[in-house]
Amino acid sequence: MADGSDSDQDITYRAPVGCVDLRAFDVEGNAYEIYACHDCLPWHAEVVIVDGEILVREWHAVGCPQFQELIQD
């Protein structure tokens, strides 16, 4: 990266990524709709089963504002 750049603000395909697990269904059993993140390029999602629960694992650039908001909750 060029001098003066901040890796915490990098949202390119080369950015470091992190993930967060989110519920796939609401309390009534309806599936949540998943939309791509418009704030970072490396965003992608996968369905995982953790302790018998179906979750959606979203991957974002660690500097993505939406990712930062998700991990603060």
Side-chain angles (χ1 to χ4, degrees):
M1 295 189 125
D3 288 342
S5 65
D6 185 358
S7 64
D8 290 342
Q9 301 300 314
D10 186 3
I11 54 170
T12 66
Y13 284 116
R14 289 179 281 158
V17 295
C19 66
V20 61
D21 289 344
L22 305 169
R23 294 178 158 272
F25 302 96
D26 64 19
V27 294
E28 296 174 357
N30 300 309
Y32 288 108
E33 291 186 37
I34 302 170
Y35 296 97
C37 180
H38 296 287
D39 291 329
C40 68
L41 295 173
W43 179 90
H44 63 282
E46 61 184 331
V47 176
V48 296
I49 298 175
V50 177
D51 297 329
E53 185 175 6
I54 300 171
L55 302 171
V56 174
R57 181 168 290 156
E58 285 194 12
W59 294 84
H60 293 262
V62 295
C64 172
Q66 289 194 38
F67 179 66
Q68 291 299 316
E69 185 177 314
L70 285 169
I71 62 173
Q72 288 179 7
D73 290 341

